[in-house]
Amino acid sequence: MIERRKGTHARPTAAAASGRWPVLARWWAANRRRLRLRRPAYPRPGRSGFRRWVPSWRQTLGLTGSFLGVLTGVLVIMYARTEIPADLNAFATQQDNVYYWADGTEMARTGDINRQDTPLDKVPEHVRWAALAAENETFYSDSGVSPSGMIRAVSKMVTGGSKQGGSTITQQYVKNAYLNQDQTFTRKLSEMFIAIKLDNKMSKDEILERYLNTSWYGRGTYGIQRAAHAYYGKDAAQLNASEGAFLASLLKGAALYDPAVGPESRERAVERWSWVLDRMVAIGKLSQQERDGYTRFPEPQAPPKPAGLTGQNGYLVETARAYVGAHTKISEKDFALGGYQVHTTFEKPRMQALTKAVGDVRAKLDPDRREADRNVRIGAASVTTDGRIVAMYGGPDYLKQGFNDANSSVVPAGSAFTPFVYAAALRDGVELERGKPRTPVTPATVYDGNNKITLRTPEGPYWDRAGKIAKAENDGGKSWGKIPLKSAVAQSVNSAIMQLGMDVGLEHVGKVGVQTGLLESSLGEKLPSFALGTATPSAIRMADAYATFAGRGKHSEPYSVARLTRNAAGVPVEKPAAEQVLPAAVAGAVDDALRDAVRRGSATPAKAAGPGAAGKTGTAQDNKSAWFVGYSGKLSTAVSLARIDPKSQELQPLDGIGGMPKGAVGSPYPIDIWTRYMTAR
């Protein structure tokens, strides 16, 4: 019979054991005393205090041995149950990425992945060893895994430290070809077991060949052969050791080491390239004499423009792609695999109207006959009060000019910057005496609008860096006398605005500019001329900042992606939240001045857009830029114009552009483009 006690498991009685399990009963009778003697006594007898609870060395050794035995058993079972996957990862079946207009119709397709396998014997030995020196110099002697690297990686994950690879080339191939990029303990174990099995199943050369053919090199390329073409326009077999060292650098992170990304990436690439060559020397795979011959960084060619992105579409796709990269967790590598549906904020009818407006005005230029009409660059962008970028003009054609003039931060804003000075004064007041309370300012506050007034600080006249007292000059040398600030903004009276900037404090002005939408990096030095627009914001940012005035002081960061899916499943993408950055009364006062500028000020041609139009012209003091930024309803649009020397990338004067008479300042083209666009039907 079976006895049961509450709270215990059923156990056999002696009678039951002798009746049903005679062999067990006899064994228990013979060994009962010996087993009881071996059972560890815990808490330990003969000890007092905390020492009763401290295990003996035998107990510690036994527990450690038991733990290691269990762990070994688990690992053995997991290893036995791990199979090498039969299928490669998704890069073998990549898809296009599709971009859609705001109305849901298709705009463009991108995402062609370049991948072409090449035999290992077609890859020069020095190119192979460049990769090995960079990633796993003991590849030919290790077992496919790095125990120390695995311990380091796992310990970092367990303790919450930074992600560590800790991987051999075999492990990297396994991760790339069969698994995902997640830094998790279970993924690391699977990677390790598959790598060990793969190392036992394949030769080292076969693993290295597969690794080089499946590694991500950026620019939409998998594999050394396509990477050689993407960066150097040649087959992998034609690469030298220096070029191989650069391509090996990309294995650590293509987005970090591609010089085309920017100056910081180029600096990292040069440093990593030099290190790889030095490692090749250190492991005996490159002679010092040959290394000494590689002193110049092997500059890769510029990335090719994606086919099918002609006209303005390329600029739109580039902008949306950049937004996805900055506001989602999707890596460049994963995005290049394709399958994403990018639903943009761009509105096709507005894009067509803006492109036509720029084209119609550009037709007035005659670069063949007039030198002043050469090298003209126009950028334009439309942003709604909730931050949506609905239209953009980046240049004549993306495939001819990849540089996006709508997102360029090289063109001074000129007097189109003055609303930020005005807003700062209305909100923060002015400091007329150092250390005293700030004085409130209203639209009716009167300032001196005469030409060549002396700029003053609370301590007295402002002395410039040349040791001279600074003076403010108006366009055409005109003196306006005493003038209300609202009129000074509407009429672009430089002297009054410059002194207002000194009184409110240029740091206050810059803060308002950033809060309403400008980037801090575009502001530049805070000298007295700052109030007249030495800052170089992009057309996108200027349109967004003016949208804050149209939105009664409520600001949203500009965005170009409304929704993102992958194979119909939603993918999280950050969208900006509106924030009240200016009091509604202050924004309303600025709006009133900008409407006045259109009604009877410096922007009267914009009246054609209707009674709700508001805006401001902008001309740099050295006549090297012209702007118009304005809005009607909830749509704000900025248009910039400049001449940029293609060799030096320096701004050139606008004198004589479009056949304008000598001495004329600025250009009527930005406000002409804006008006044509806003009145398009």
Side-chain angles (χ1 to χ4, degrees):
M1 61 181 291
I2 302 294
E3 291 183 354
R4 292 186 182 273
R5 297 180 182 177
K6 185 176 182 181
T8 66
H9 295 290
R11 65 176 68 181
T13 62
S18 60
R20 294 187 179 182
W21 307 309
V23 175
L24 178 61
R26 287 194 297 272
W27 180 88
W28 174 256
N31 294 280
R32 179 172 54 185
R33 179 176 178 78
R34 181 165 56 87
L35 290 173
R36 285 179 176 175
L37 289 174
R38 289 186 179 184
R39 185 176 63 188
Y42 195 81
R44 297 173 64 190
R47 302 287 192 276
S48 61
F50 77 93
R51 296 180 61 193
R52 297 179 63 226
W53 303 97
V54 178
S56 68
W57 68 270
R58 291 186 180 87
Q59 291 170 335
T60 302
L61 189 62
L63 288 172
T64 303
S66 299
F67 172 76
L68 292 177
V70 171
L71 179 62
T72 301
V74 170
L75 293 177
V76 168
I77 293 172
M78 289 183 66
Y79 176 79
R81 297 183 64 178
T82 299
E83 299 291 339
I84 299 176
D87 299 323
L88 294 178
N89 259 336
F91 63 77
T93 57
Q94 66 277 359
Q95 307 172 57
D96 288 337
N97 290 320
V98 185
Y99 293 78
Y100 296 93
W101 294 103
D103 64 4
T105 57
E106 185 175 317
M107 180 174 74
R109 287 177 177 263
T110 65
D112 294 332
I113 298 294
N114 289 321
R115 177 171 177 254
Q116 180 181 340
D117 289 353
T118 189
L120 189 63
D121 59 10
K122 298 295 183 182
V123 181
E125 188 173 358
H126 46 246
V127 175
R128 293 182 238 162
W129 275 105
L132 293 173
E135 297 295 312
N136 184 194
E137 62 189 49
T138 62
F139 171 72
Y140 279 101
S141 59
D142 63 39
S143 62
V145 297
S146 170
S148 61
M150 289 293 295
I151 293 172
R152 183 172 64 253
V154 171
S155 65
K156 286 288 184 181
M157 285 186 287
V158 170
T159 58
S162 59
K163 295 178 180 179
Q164 298 286 325
S167 300
T168 64
I169 273 181
T170 307
Q171 289 174 267
Q172 290 183 48
Y173 168 68
V174 168
K175 177 178 64 176
N176 292 340
Y178 301 118
L179 304 175
N180 56 43
Q181 306 300 311
D182 295 341
Q183 293 282 353
T184 62
F185 182 72
T186 54
R187 204 275 290 154
K188 275 289 181 184
L189 282 180
S190 297
E191 173 190 299
M192 181 179 68
F193 294 142
I194 296 174
I196 294 172
K197 288 195 170 185
L198 208 63
D199 195 72
N200 292 329
K201 180 180 180 181
M202 297 180 183
S203 69
K204 289 289 189 179
D205 281 351
E206 190 175 3
I207 294 172
L208 180 59
E209 177 181 305
R210 293 192 176 197
Y211 170 76
L212 292 176
N213 281 322
T214 56
S215 291
W216 169 251
Y217 286 89
R219 297 192 181 182
T221 60
Y222 280 93
I224 188 69
Q225 173 69 358
R226 287 303 187 188
H229 276 276
Y231 291 93
Y232 292 111
K234 61 175 71 172
D235 287 336
Q238 299 172 306
L239 295 170
N240 59 36
S242 179
E243 294 163 338
F246 165 70
L247 294 181
S249 302
L250 297 171
L251 296 170
K252 189 175 179 64
L256 293 174
Y257 296 94
D258 185 349
V261 174
E264 293 183 357
S265 294
R266 188 184 185 282
E267 185 177 341
R268 285 192 293 265
V270 172
E271 182 180 353
R272 181 74 175 172
W273 160 79
S274 181
W275 179 85
V276 172
L277 290 174
D278 290 341
R279 287 304 305 159
M280 292 177 70
V281 173
I283 63 177
K285 297 303 176 180
L286 186 70
S287 69
Q288 187 62 54
Q289 181 180 4
E290 190 174 7
R291 170 66 182 94
D292 292 341
Y294 295 127
T295 58
R296 178 175 294 183
F297 179 66
E299 204 72 52
Q301 63 189 15
K305 300 290 192 305
L309 298 184
T310 57
Q312 297 303 304
N313 278 13
Y315 302 115
L316 304 182
V317 167
E318 177 192 72
T319 301
R321 172 65 189 96
Y323 191 87
V324 170
H327 297 276
T328 71
K329 295 181 179 180
I330 304 169
S331 68
E332 178 195 7
K333 180 178 178 180
D334 289 340
F335 192 78
L337 293 177
Y340 290 94
Q341 297 83 44
V342 185
H343 299 265
T344 74
T345 59
F346 304 121
E347 298 179 6
K348 190 173 183 179
R350 293 195 185 277
M351 272 301 306
Q352 292 173 334
L354 182 58
T355 303
K356 185 178 186 303
V358 176
D360 290 345
V361 172
R362 265 194 177 279
K364 299 179 181 181
L365 299 173
D366 191 355
D368 294 331
R369 297 178 56 189
R370 283 194 298 263
E371 184 178 353
D373 289 355
R374 297 169 191 167
N375 307 323
V376 173
R377 304 276 283 269
I378 297 173
S382 279
V383 180
T384 60
T385 52
D386 61 0
R388 289 177 294 120
I389 307 173
V390 296
M392 187 171 65
Y393 181 89
D397 190 308
Y398 179 72
L399 297 186
K400 296 177 181 177
Q401 179 197 295
F403 190 79
N404 186 352
D405 287 318
N407 201 31
S408 164
S409 292
V410 298
V411 183
S415 44
F417 189 80
T418 57
F420 306 113
V421 183
Y422 187 44
L426 293 172
R427 188 186 71 177
D428 301 340
V430 296
E431 186 179 26
L432 301 179
E433 294 184 62
R434 193 71 70 198
K436 296 293 181 66
R438 298 178 75 87
T439 303
V441 167
T442 71
T445 300
V446 174
Y447 263 66
D448 189 347
N450 285 321
N451 189 45
K452 293 189 176 181
I453 64 169
T454 297
L455 293 177
R456 303 185 65 84
T457 69
E459 289 77 26
Y462 178 86
W463 296 78
D464 63 22
R465 292 175 177 177
K468 297 180 180 180
I469 293 178
K471 295 182 180 295
E473 296 186 14
N474 291 328
D475 292 339
K478 182 176 179 179
S479 288
W480 295 79
K482 300 299 182 180
I483 186 170
L485 286 179
K486 174 184 172 182
S487 299
V489 173
Q491 299 292 346
S492 292
V493 181
N494 293 347
S495 55
I497 296 300
M498 286 187 74
Q499 185 57 57
L500 181 63
M502 299 295 291
D503 292 345
V504 72
L506 300 180
E507 291 297 333
H508 286 258
V509 174
K511 185 176 181 181
V512 166
V514 171
Q515 289 174 331
T516 54
L518 306 187
L519 296 178
E520 180 75 42
S521 59
S522 71
L523 297 184
E525 283 191 287
K526 307 294 194 306
L527 299 175
S529 56
F530 177 68
L532 297 184
T534 56
T536 56
S538 67
I540 293 174
R541 286 289 171 173
M542 280 293 273
D544 181 60
Y546 269 57
T548 304
F549 303 136
R552 306 295 290 181
K554 188 170 288 188
H555 170 252
S556 291
E557 283 288 289
Y559 67 99
S560 55
V561 177
R563 187 163 56 91
L564 184 65
T565 58
R566 190 172 195 278
N567 297 331
V571 178
V573 56
E574 295 175 4
K575 288 176 65 176
E579 182 182 359
Q580 191 75 37
V581 298
L582 291 175
V586 170
V590 176
D591 172 70
D592 193 28
L594 295 177
R595 289 173 185 266
D596 207 37
V598 173
R599 285 193 296 263
R600 51 183 167 268
S602 60
T604 52
K607 283 195 292 186
K616 187 78 183 67
T617 55
T619 304
Q621 283 189 296
D622 55 6
N623 199 33
K624 290 185 177 180
S625 69
W627 286 76
F628 184 75
V629 190
Y631 53 83
S632 181
K634 296 183 178 180
L635 183 66
S636 174
T637 303
V639 182
S640 69
L641 181 146
R643 294 179 64 228
I644 302 178
D645 185 281
K647 294 182 179 179
S648 66
Q649 294 300 304
E650 294 181 354
L651 294 172
Q652 299 175 303
L654 301 180
D655 302 339
I657 186 171
M660 290 183 64
K662 185 177 181 180
V665 178
S667 170
Y669 289 167
I671 197 169
D672 189 3
I673 291 170
W674 187 91
T675 305
R676 289 170 182 266
Y677 167 59
M678 294 299 292
T679 56
R681 294 291 183 266

